[in-house]
């Protein structure tokens, strides 16, 4: 029985030990990570504060990713959504089969921007100077001031990014408390939204905490001229530009009483969140723009222009090199550009020219928007435009300015921006593939970029804007070229200024002055010249001037991410209107190039590529339906 | 075991207790009494003891032999002094000496010596005065004709009886005509015969209603079956006779209360979704706690032959002891253990042929491309054919059709990469036996299965899919002393898997969608082919994936060990015992990969010399060196200590009690961050039961669980439960109807259980956390050729989750009422339960927090209520018709849940409110059919192409629709089809079935047996269009997919009014209007399956004796033989299943053999 007793005592001892010791700390597993980072610790450490600050810049929308590689609301999906370009295979299926508020694509802006706004507000509340001179991450008083101004700028920018897509949105004046059971927010009105952003920017500008410009060496040229290490950090100019852009939007028809259906939109408490037309908004926009233009002039911003040795403008090089290096036209840019690597270059490279997917296409609608070299539109009876035959066309993008023979004359005599922006049937490549000096791009059946592969542009065009002409995906040729992705540039704001002046007083000479500055750089006659030559006179005619300003923006800012928002704020998307979104035309890629122009089986026939499911509701993007469904206060945009 | 109070015999009580205790030890009711009758003649003793106590003598004998003494009654005087001086005498001689002159006597049964008072005088007189009584002999067999060994044969109302020998034979003397002879054996119904003077009475004993056991496994213990008040079901090896690799797939439809559906047929990844009584949470965990031999372990790789019983605990009375882990039900699996018997060796072998039940079929390239032309024609408004410019001209199509040049115009059936059949083999051998002191069960199993791919690698290596599994188990129980038992269990599984460079699911996926018209499997010149534009969905080419991408070898080892020490504490008080267990498990796996890429080409055309003009798509890389492509390891430590009490007072008061402490820990090797920390849990458990006279039973239990996942002060919770049962048929007033109602028992239980399982990824949700791994943003740029962005401050930092110190587990209140009914002396056995479960405080991330708040992580809260109620029932019927033994069984589970509260605000339209519906019920558009030309104002252009404008008054959808597109119902009558027209108010169900049932019939005739078993589900729906890409052609473009032959059932422009089609109007791209989740694509996914059919022969005793075997059985078994359903395109059990692009479920035909020596 001894043995038995032993066992019994061992067992009971075990039992007791387990029961007693176990309960005390066995479950304190998480103590092991008790020293994990807390919010207080983040804001006690200069490096962590810098990383928090750096994260806020992820709120920036950047439009260089036009394909499928980065398809979200912060990228170039809007370029395809508005039919400037198309995608391979399924195309922009969202616009073909339409969408509802529940399955609307690219809704990242809504959720993510509010997160960045919260992050920025926490930053403003807590950031403080830290570290001493020996600390490489030291945050000085001045650093903190600048970073705070930047955080405010990014809050303003985030609200603007919401505003341009959704219209007026909820404004948060205090940090949400996660323990709060409510956490529900109503939309502010257009006026409140605009005013909030405007005040924030005013504060930023007046604080004096932002640098005026990133020019670091006024006497230098090229990259040395700028502090490119910080190109994305906003300047006073950038803040003024954003402020001006904000008011142009606020004054535009979409937000200024032009969208009748919005006038009834009211919050649950009855408050109307849109307002009827107010001409003063145009005046404010004008003064904000003038403030910017003065500032830009002071900081030596000019339209980027390349001159020939004889002092004349070289428009072909101007509109090409503008996007290849940093320059004085840029008001704000980021280094985060999908064209920097091979991605976008290959997406737009012909399949039969070494490595290329060639799946982005330019719509016929946009091809037709480009001017003729005489400065007229293609439908102008006075223009030299024809589409009835074939002819020789000099390719200004080609390294040896090759004369391409037998080119459809639709592509002859067009403006430099067309040649820089569009690759068309029969156009030589900028560097001819080795051993193929007569290589031209072909989209018709049986040619190198035809629709025998799913990766084809579907429209009969490849975009060539932004492409670096030294790149060829073979041998020792350049494979990548890093370039800034431009967020704001002067030409954009010149055109805003022309537009705003026209809405206030059609006889304002600044309208034609600024419009013509952009045209001149692009190598086409200005309206002053056209009027003088008697070919076309729009001067003083508000309606015509408005149309031509719109057309100029369409061409000048092609693929730069602005068109989607422009045509909406102008409200010209309807069937038969200027930027008809219901139909997308192209060349006939099921046709052959040896068939007569316009024939059913000819490549050179305009066809309807996509009947797009445009609806008036799409003037404002739908607020994500699941947000509406989990909120008592949030109201949806009209017609959704 | 039914108590017969009329029996006064101590001898009988002794026998009963022997049987009972052996059952307790072995967990089974099989013959425990394989006594070696002549042991007593083999051992000889030399005893020289002077003036020692009887106890000392016995102890000497025990020490020097395998004999153990058992005392019947308490009045044996062990302290009496005796003197013995004997050399080399059998035990009888010694005992004779010891008991000489006392009124005590002994009997020797095998190695047991039973000491008791001599029979009372009157009995002796009776025996003496009936010398003329007759002797009856006979044989007891079970339903299969096997001898029943160790059964008791007694004359009812007396203590006079014998037990059957190893051949099941008995000889009972002194029987009077008119005596009632009773035949009893555990696990069988007691039979009675009135003696009419026959010389022999042979009895075929019927197995007791459900299972063999009179003792069932319950949470942290066992219980007499009759005392059970909770709702649980057990099946034993007999019902688990479908010997598939994965246990879970075998269980569907077998046990009332289990909802199991197999969602893939891929070897190794085919485990069924498994719920006990359905789901009662839409947020947290819903998977049952699985315990193998009391320790949390996976049930996936246990060989069926190792399993003694499989038990599901369903109600609170059964699961409350598992505290915060009991809410989802508990599965208890016990492995077989040794028995004191002559070692039996069991060998089984099985060979199976495996064939997919339904395999998708793709269109050939001619049909597929013609279909694209049709889609293009549709998109252009069906112009007159002479004006239509097809993308694929007749000339091109003809080349595809005739196969004139398969390099340039291929038509590949990628399914040719699959074999029609695969095979599997399974062998097990086990040894079971032991002495009274040491008992063992040892088993080994081997299983192998080939994959379905037809791999012929280009180099000398094996890339075929294959799986081999080895199982080993050894369970040993040792009696260290008469009251101390040590058990050592070890088991291990070793798996080897060989596969190509990609998983079979990946390869299968590419096979099912890779275009058939772009490239051949390989070019006729022997070079490897590749898609010319290897974009999304066609990055890999199936033939190369299989044959040209190297291979993976995975080995996994799972090791389980457990040591248990059990000490009887009857020296403190009768019925008390203490037990302690330690278990250590270790699992590892490691995958070695050798990757390879062939140089691949795409043929652009033919050169002038006729050779292929190819461009290189991928550069080659040679078969690489072995590299690790995946590994992980897990350790589990489990400790348990308990105090048990079990005793009967005055034969009518049955009392048991248990207090238990448990702690466990799981830790992973290859995880991230917080998941590297151990997962721990502690419990203190208590249970008390009281039974009165086997008629009234009461039970109270409690689990107190501590979970490390919550904040201090919120870690511990108490989960109590009570249950009661009334054994009506044991009442006096039921006497006389026993032949009709042999069992009637009513049960009820109520209790609280918990759930703290919110997924392994969410650790310590109460803690604040900062996210330091966000994308870094570069402030700067270096323009130019070698430039790029730069000047990043490092990874972004932002808020993570918030401190939520009040979080705690989910609570589920469970009510259960049940009835157990046995009719006609066990011929019909029925039980049914109704349950009502209410889960509250569901641990979830708040859903109504507007994103405007900017919170990156939605705060966790205990929120939400789900009700889950239903019934489960079980029926067994046995009947003998002539020489044929028939048995039928069936079971049904119905579990319907309803979300009572969810973080949801009232929706604009009631029909969109999720609250009030079942979990995962889909939100659907109601399809009213297809649009017809009558719905449109049609304008026709000069080429005959039509454009369609919906007529006024018809609701407008977001898309530009045309005839043949799906027409949705405008539920809110606002003239627009939009997201407000989706509803929960429709006839379709969620994917998890609400009803699962199974039924089968077995027949046996002279050793031949036949069985069929059907299994089915109902109240379940599938979305046929779960993956557009897999079912609809052209959604990713013509070159990035293939078409399925079912597409022939589609809308046609030539017959625009025909609505009776499966596929709506064809489009050349993804037309999301038609692919919305709608009633058009939903189907009732219920099915009825002929799950199992078996024919076999059991050799009879005569032959067995000649072969010197105890058992020999051969059988032919078919599994998944046929299925009836509405899905048709693929096996209905796969459900939505990626729209059929899923490794198919297979049917299996097996030939098997079982031998026992």
């Amino acid at each position: 029985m001894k043995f038995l007793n032993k066992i019994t005592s061992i067992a009971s001892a075990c039992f007791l030990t387990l029961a007693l010791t176990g309960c005390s700390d066995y479950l304190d597993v998480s103590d092991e990570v008790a020293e994990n980072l807390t919010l207080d610790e983040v804001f006690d450490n200069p490096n962590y504060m810098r990383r928090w600050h750096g994260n806020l810049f992820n709120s920036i929308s950047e439009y260089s990713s036009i394909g499928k590689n980065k398809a979200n609301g912060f990228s170039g999906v809007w370029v395809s959504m508005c039919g400037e370009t198309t995608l391979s295979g399924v195309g922009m299926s969202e616009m073909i089969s339409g969408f509802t508020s529940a399955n609307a694509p690219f809704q990242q802006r809504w959720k993510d921007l509010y997160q960045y706004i919260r992050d920025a507000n926490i930053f403003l509340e807590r950031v403080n100077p830290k570290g001493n001179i020996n600390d490489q991450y030291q945050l000085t008083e001045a650093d903190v001031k600048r970073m705070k101004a930047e955080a405010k700028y990014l809050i303003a920018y985030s609200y603007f990014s919401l505003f341009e897509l959704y219209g007026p949105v909820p404004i948060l004046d205090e940090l949400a408390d996660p323990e709060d059971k409510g956490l529900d927010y109503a939309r502010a009105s257009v006026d409140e939204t605009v005013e909030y952003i405007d005040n924030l920017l005013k504060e930023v500008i007046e604080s004096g905490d932002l640098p005026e410009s990133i020019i670091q060496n006024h006497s230098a040229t090229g990259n040395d001229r700028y502090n490119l290490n910080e190109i994305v950090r906003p300047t006073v100019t950038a803040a003024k530009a954003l402020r001006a852009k904000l008011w142009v939007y606020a004054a535009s028809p979409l937000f200024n009483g032009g969208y009748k259906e919005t006038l009834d939109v009211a919050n649950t408490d009855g408050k109307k969140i849109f307002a009827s037309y107010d001409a003063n908004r145009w005046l404010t926009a004008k003064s904000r723009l003038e403030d910017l233009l003065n500032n830009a002039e002071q900081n030596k911003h000019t339209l980027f222009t390349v001159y020939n040795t004889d002092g004349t403008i070289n428009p072909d090089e101007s509109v090409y090199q503008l996007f290849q290096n940093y320059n004085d036209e840029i008001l704000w840019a980021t280094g985060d550009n999908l064209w920097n690597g091979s991605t976008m270059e290959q997406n737009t490279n012909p399949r039969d020219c070494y490595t290329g997917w060639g799946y982005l296409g330019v719509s016929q609608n946009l091809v037709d928007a480009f001017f003729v070299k005489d400065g007229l539109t293609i439908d102008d009876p006075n223009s030299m435009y024809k589409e009835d035959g074939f002819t020789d066309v000099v390719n200004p993008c080609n390294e040896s300015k090759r004369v391409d023979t037998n080119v459809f004359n639709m592509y002859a005599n067009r403006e430099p921006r067309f040649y820089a922006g569009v690759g068309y049937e029969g156009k030589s490549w900028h560097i001819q593939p080795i051993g193929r000096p007569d290589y031209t791009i072909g989209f018709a059946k049986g040619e190198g970029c035809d629709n025998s592969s799913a990766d084809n542009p579907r429209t009969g065009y490849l975009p060539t804007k932004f492409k670096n002409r030294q790149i060829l995906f073979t041998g020792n040729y350049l494979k990548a070229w890093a370039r800034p992705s431009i967020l704001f540039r002067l030409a954009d704001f010149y055109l805003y200024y022309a537009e705003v002046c026209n809405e206030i007083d059609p006889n304002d000479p600044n309208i034609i002055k600024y419009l013509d500055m952009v045209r001149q750089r692009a190598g086409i006659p200005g309206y002053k010249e056209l009027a003088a030559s008697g070919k076309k006179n729009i001067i003083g005619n508000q309606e015509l001037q408005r149309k031509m300003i719109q057309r100029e923006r369409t061409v000048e800012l092609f693929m730069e991410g602005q068109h989607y928002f422009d045509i909406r704020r102008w409200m010209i998307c309807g069937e038969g209107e200027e930027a008809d979104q219901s139909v997308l035309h192209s060349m006939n890629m099921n046709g052959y190039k040896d068939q007569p122009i316009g024939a059913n089986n000819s490549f050179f026939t305009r066809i309807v590529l996509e009947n797009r499911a445009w609806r008036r509701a799409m003037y404002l993007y739908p607020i994500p339906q699941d947000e509406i469904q989990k909120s008592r206060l949030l109201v949806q945009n009209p017609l959704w | 075991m039914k108590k017969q109070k009329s029996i006064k015999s101590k001898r009988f009580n002794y026998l009963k207790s022997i049987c009972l205790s052996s059952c307790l030890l072995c967990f089974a009711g099989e013959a425990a009494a394989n006594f070696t009758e002549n042991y007593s003649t083999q051992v000889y003793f030399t005893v020289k003891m002077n003036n020692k106590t009887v106890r000392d003598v016995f102890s000497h004998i025990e020490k020097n032999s395998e004999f153990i003494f058992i005392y019947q009654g308490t009045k044996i005087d062990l302290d009496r002094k005796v003197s013995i001086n004997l050399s080399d005498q059998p035990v009888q001689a010694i005992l004779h000496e010891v008991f000489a002159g006392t009124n005590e006597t002994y009997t020797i049964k095998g190695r047991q010596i039973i000491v008791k008072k001599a029979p009372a005088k009157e009995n002796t007189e009776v025996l003496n005065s009936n010398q003329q009584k007759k002797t009856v002999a006979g044989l007891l067999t079970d339903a299969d004709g096997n001898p029943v060994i160790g059964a008791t044969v007694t004359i009812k109302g007396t203590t006079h009886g014998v037990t059957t020998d190893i051949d099941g034979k008995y000889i009972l003397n002194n029987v009077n005509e008119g005596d009632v002879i009773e035949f009893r054996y555990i696990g069988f119904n007691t039979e009675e015969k009135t003696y009419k003077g026959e010389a022999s009475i042979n009895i075929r004993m019927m197995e007791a209603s459900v299972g063999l056991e009179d003792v069932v496994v319950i949470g942290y213990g066992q219980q007499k079956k009759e005392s059970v008040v909770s709702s649980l079901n057990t099946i034993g090896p007999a019902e688990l006779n479908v010997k598939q690799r994965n246990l879970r797939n075998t269980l569907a439809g077998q046990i009332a209360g289990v909802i199991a559906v197999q969602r893939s047929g891929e070897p190794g990844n085919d485990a069924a979704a498994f719920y006990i009584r359905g789901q009662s949470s839409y947020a947290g965990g819903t998977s049952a706690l699985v315990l193998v031999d009391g320790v949390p372990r996976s049930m996936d790789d246990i060989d069926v032959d190792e399993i003694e019983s499989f038990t599901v605990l369903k109600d609170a009375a059964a699961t409350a002891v598992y505290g915060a882990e009991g809410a989802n039900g508990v599965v208890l699996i016990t492995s077989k253990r040794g028995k004191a018997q002559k070692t039996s060796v069991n060998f089984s072998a099985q060979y199976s042929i495996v064939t997919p039940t339904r395999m998708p079929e793709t269109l050939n390239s001619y049909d597929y491309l013609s279909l694209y032309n049709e889609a293009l024609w549709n998109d252009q408004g069906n112009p007159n054919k002479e004006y239509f410019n097809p993308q694929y001209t007749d000339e091109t199509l003809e080349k595809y059709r005739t196969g004139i040049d398969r390099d340039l115009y291929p038509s590949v059936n990628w399914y040719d990469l699959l074999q029609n059949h695969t095979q599997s083999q399974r062998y097990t051998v086990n040894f079971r036996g032991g002495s009274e002191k040491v008992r063992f069960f040892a088993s080994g199993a081997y299983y192998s299965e080939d994959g379905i791919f037809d791999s012929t690698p280009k180099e000398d290596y094996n890339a075929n899919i294959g799986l081999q599994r080895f199982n080993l188990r050894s369970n040993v129980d040792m009696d260290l002393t008469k009251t101390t038992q040590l058990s050592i269990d070890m088991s291990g599984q070793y798996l080897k898997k060989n596969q190509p460079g990609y998983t079979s699911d990946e390869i299968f996926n590419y096979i099912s969608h890779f275009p058939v018209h772009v490239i051949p499997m390989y070019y006729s010149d022997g070079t490897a082919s590749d898609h010319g534009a290897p974009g999304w969905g066609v990055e890999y080419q199936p033939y190369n994936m299989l044959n040209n991408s190297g291979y993976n070898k995975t080995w996994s080892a799972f090791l389980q060990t457990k040591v248990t020490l059990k000490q009887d504490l009857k020296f403190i008080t009768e019925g008390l015992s203490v037990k302690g267990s330690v278990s250590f498990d270790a699992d590892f796996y490691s995958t070695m990969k050798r990757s390879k890429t062939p140089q691949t080409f795409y043929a652009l055309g033919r050169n002038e010399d006729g050779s292929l003009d190819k461009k290189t798509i991928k550069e080659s890389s040679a078969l690489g060196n072995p590299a690790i492509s995946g590994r992980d390891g897990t350790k589990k430590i489990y400790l348990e200590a308990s105090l048990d009490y079990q005793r009967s007072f005055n034969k009518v008061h049955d009392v048991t009690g248990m207090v238990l402490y448990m702690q466990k820990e799981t830790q992973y090797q290859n995880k991230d961050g917080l998941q590297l920390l151990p997962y721990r849990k502690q419990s203190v458990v208590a249970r008390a039961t009281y039974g009165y006279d086997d008629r009234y039973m009461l039970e109270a239990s409690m689990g107190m669980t501590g979970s490390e996942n919550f904040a201090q002060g919120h870690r511990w919770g108490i989960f109590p439960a009570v249950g009661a049962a009334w054994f009506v048929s044991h009442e006096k007033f039921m006497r006389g109807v026993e032949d009709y109602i042999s069992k009637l028992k009513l049960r009820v239980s109520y209790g609280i259980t918990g759930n703290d399982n919110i997924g392994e990824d969410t650790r310590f949700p109460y803690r604040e956390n900062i996210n330091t791994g966000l994308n870094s943003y570069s402030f700067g740029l270096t323009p130019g050729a070698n430039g790029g962005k730069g000047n990043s401050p490092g990874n972004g930092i932002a808020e993570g989750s918030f401190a939520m110190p009040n979080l705690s587990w989910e609570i589920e209140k469970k009510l259960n009422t049940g009835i157990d009914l046995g009719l006609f002396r066990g011929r019909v056995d029925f039980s049914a339960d109704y349950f009502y479960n209410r889960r509250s405080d569901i641990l979830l991330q708040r859903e109504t927090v507007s994103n405007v708040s900017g919170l990156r992580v939605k705060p966790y809260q205990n929120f939400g209520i789900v009700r889950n109620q239903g019934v489960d029932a079980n029926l067994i019927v046995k009947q003998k018709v002539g020489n044929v033994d028939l048995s039928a069984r069936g079971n049904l589970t119905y579990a319907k849940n309803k979300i009572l509260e969810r973080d949801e605000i009232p929706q604009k339209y009631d029909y969109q409110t999720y609250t009030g519906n079942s979990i995962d019920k889909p939100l659907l558009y109601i399809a009213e059919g297809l649009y017809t030309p009558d719905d449109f104002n049609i304008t026709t252009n000069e080429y005959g192409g039509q454009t369609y404008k919906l007529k006024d008054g018809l609701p407008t959808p977001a898309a530009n629709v045309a005839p043949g597109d799906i027409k949705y119902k405008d539920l809110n009558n606002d003239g627009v089809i939009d997201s407000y027209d989706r509803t929960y108010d429709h006839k379709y169900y969620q994917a998890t079935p609400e009803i699962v049932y199974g039924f089968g019939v077995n027949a046996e005739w002279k050793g031949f047996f036949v069985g069929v078993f059907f299994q089915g589900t109902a109240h379940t729906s599938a979305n046929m269009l779960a993956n557009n890409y897999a079912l609809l052609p052209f959604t990713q473009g013509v070159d990035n997919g293939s078409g399925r032959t079912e597409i022939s059932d589609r809308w046609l422009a030539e017959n625009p009014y025909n609505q009776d089609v499966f596929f709506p109007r064809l489009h050349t791209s993804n037309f999301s209007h038609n692919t919305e989740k709608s009633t058009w694509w939903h189907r009732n996914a219920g099915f009825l399956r002929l799950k199992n059919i078996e024919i076999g022969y059991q050799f009879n005793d005569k032959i067995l004796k000649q072969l010197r075997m105890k058992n020999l059985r051969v059988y032919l078994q078919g599994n998944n033989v046929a299925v009836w359903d509405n899905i048709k395109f693929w096996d209905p059990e796969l459900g939505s299943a990626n729209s059929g692009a899923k490794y198919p479920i297979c049917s299996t035909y097996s030939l098997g053999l079982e031998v026992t020596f």
Side-chain angles (χ1 to χ4, degrees), chain A residues 4 22 28 90 103 119 600, chain B residues 387 389 682 715 856 1035 1076:
Chain A
L4 191 143
D28 290 336
V90 297
N103 64 3
D119 294 342
N600 187 34
Chain B
Y387 293 113
N389 240 325
Q682 276 179 310
R715 283 182 185 156
R856 282 176 182 265
T1035 57
E1076 288 286 354

Side-chain angles (χ1 to χ4, degrees), chain A residues 4 22 26 28 30 33 51 90 97 103 118-119 229 445 452 454 482 600-601 625 627 629-631, chain B residues 387 389 391 483 571 664 680 682 712 715 766-767 784 791 795 799 847 856 905 907 1035 1039 1072 1076:
Chain A
L4 191 143
Y26 184 72
D28 290 336
S30 62
V33 287
R51 284 169 61 187
V90 297
S97 51
N103 64 3
R118 176 179 170 85
D119 294 342
N229 218 19
K445 251 195 181 325
S452 66
N600 187 34
N601 58 352
Q625 184 66 17
E627 281 287 287
Q629 286 184 323
K630 66 189 180 190
S631 167
Chain B
Y387 293 113
N389 240 325
Q391 183 152 327
T483 56
F571 62 88
K664 61 182 177 184
R680 282 181 182 160
Q682 276 179 310
Q712 240 164 16
R715 283 182 185 156
Y766 63 91
R767 297 181 73 241
N791 187 23
N795 280 354
E799 278 179 327
E847 301 191 24
R856 282 176 182 265
I905 64 163
Q907 295 300 297
T1035 57
D1039 282 353
S1072 69
E1076 288 286 354

